Amino acid sequence: MKSQRATSWSAFLAGMFSLLLLLSACSNNVNSGSNGAAASPSPSAPPQEAAAAGAPAFPRTIEAANGSIVIAQKPERVAVVHWGYVDSLLLFDLPSAGLALPFTKDTSSLGTDTYKPYVDRIGELAIVGENTTVNMEALLAYGPDLIIAGNAVNAEVTEQLEKIATTVVIDETATDVWSNWPALVTEFGKILGQEAVAEQFISGYQAKLADAKAKLADVEGNVAFLQVRNNTVYLGGTKYLTQYYDQGVGLTAPDDPAMAEGAEMSLETLAALNPDHLVLGYFNYDSPETASLTDEWEQTEVWKKLKAVESGQTYSVNGVLAMGYGPLANTYGVEAVLEALEK
């Protein structure tokens, strides 16, 4: 009797197992394609969606001034040894960065309100050069896994750089690094695998530029920009200050041959230019206790009779930023000029 029950129970289990197999097969047929093959599980994000979300793909090959450069892995320790690239690097998400500065660290713009939010989000920041000169010992001590350089500014040290780490040398003329920072930022996005970051900043800046242009459309008269140092004053040229003139917020430049390239100015040449509006870009903006050449000019009758001075249309801004050419400097400049000139 006991054996018969066991046999019946075994038959019951076998039947249930067969039923489960049948149900499983039916289920697979429902989820399969027309050829009956079982469907593959869907990935969490298709490759194109992952790329659009900003996931970098490495290794990647960059066509640079020094050849086809393969960047094997996502860069974690990036050094820019071209002093004009600082703005561009700071836009990107990096755990560590090494910078060669146009001035000394103490006189740089890194601590200004414009730069500080970008500087603070970088976990480690090293200075690998000052006053436009690369400090090779500091660069070696920093230990970058990627170096970004320029073919003109860093021409004499390129071979040394390539011995330290993978080096991408940007063609400064082809990229137009001095007057077309969006092209440079786009190139940085490709190098770092952060194209979306570059695109987002550029589109945001362009929106800011369009807004400022609309708000300044009714500004009457012409506008000149002076770079004011302790013993020198320079007129900013339209070729370089594109953010303020035709390609930017649309201000009118004084009708003078010097306006294209800019020029060193004396009080007499400024009086001859005699702009309606005068934006004074002080290099000592954050330390007004230090002298500027215009301190002397302001005591003269020639200065007091300038149209911009008589009408109260002179404006003080940070000259290092407002007369600069990088993305952060240009952003500051557009905002500062809008605040000064908007009615």
Side-chain angles (χ1 to χ4, degrees), residues 29-309:
N29 283 336
V30 169
N31 292 318
S32 66
S34 58
N35 59 359
S40 302
S42 300
S44 57
Q48 65 269 24
E49 290 183 13
F58 291 92
R60 60 175 53 201
T61 301
I62 303 297
E63 298 303 325
N66 58 330
S68 296
I69 307 301
V70 177
I71 303 175
Q73 298 178 333
K74 179 181 178 180
E76 299 287 342
R77 302 178 65 79
V78 182
V80 290
V81 293
H82 185 304
W83 56 269
Y85 293 174
V86 173
D87 266 35
S88 297
L89 185 69
L90 292 177
L91 302 182
F92 295 91
D93 298 322
L94 295 170
S96 178
L99 307 176
L101 304 174
F103 308 109
T104 65
K105 181 181 179 181
D106 292 339
T107 59
S108 73
S109 300
L110 295 177
T112 63
D113 291 342
T114 297
Y115 280 72
K116 199 171 185 304
Y118 295 89
V119 171
D120 286 350
R121 70 182 186 180
I122 296 177
E124 176 191 15
L125 188 65
I127 305 304
V128 298
E130 295 180 302
N131 293 321
T132 74
T133 302
V134 183
N135 184 327
M136 287 297 176
E137 291 183 2
L139 182 61
L140 277 168
Y142 172 61
D145 54 35
L146 177 67
I147 298 172
I148 305 177
N151 67 323
V153 165
N154 303 119
E156 296 181 0
V157 297
T158 299
E159 290 186 7
Q160 298 176 57
L161 298 174
E162 291 174 332
K163 293 176 182 178
I164 295 174
T166 300
T167 300
V168 176
V169 179
I170 294 175
D171 188 320
E172 297 171 44
T173 300
T175 309
D176 195 8
V177 300
W178 301 113
S179 57
N180 185 12
W181 65 255
L184 180 62
V185 168
T186 298
E187 192 65 24
F188 267 61
K190 294 176 184 176
I191 294 169
L192 300 174
Q194 296 187 38
E195 290 90 340
V197 174
E199 292 170 3
Q200 183 178 5
F201 188 91
I202 291 170
S203 62
Y205 173 80
Q206 290 172 340
K208 187 185 298 289
L209 205 63
D211 179 65
K213 185 172 185 178
K215 291 177 178 177
L216 297 178
D218 295 330
V219 171
E220 297 179 357
N222 56 57
V223 185
F225 291 79
L226 295 186
Q227 183 187 101
V228 182
R229 304 196 185 200
N230 64 328
N231 57 2
T232 312
V233 173
Y234 288 98
L235 172 68
T238 56
K239 180 178 178 181
Y240 304 102
L241 299 183
T242 55
Q243 67 272 32
Y244 304 127
Y245 294 113
D246 290 344
Q247 299 177 45
V249 299
L251 300 176
T252 300
D255 185 13
D256 189 285
M259 279 305 307
E261 295 284 345
E264 185 172 349
M265 301 292 284
S266 65
L267 180 55
E268 290 70 29
T269 53
L270 177 59
L273 188 71
N274 204 13
D276 298 302
H277 300 264
L278 187 58
V279 180
L280 299 166
Y282 289 101
F283 263 51
N284 68 338
Y285 188 80
D286 292 323
S287 53
E289 67 279 1
T290 60
S292 293
L293 182 55
T294 51
D295 295 343
E296 301 174 11
W297 293 3
E298 291 172 4
Q299 308 307 314
T300 67
E301 290 301 315
V302 175
W303 175 271
K304 294 174 183 178
K305 290 182 179 178
L306 292 173
K307 286 191 295 185
V309 174

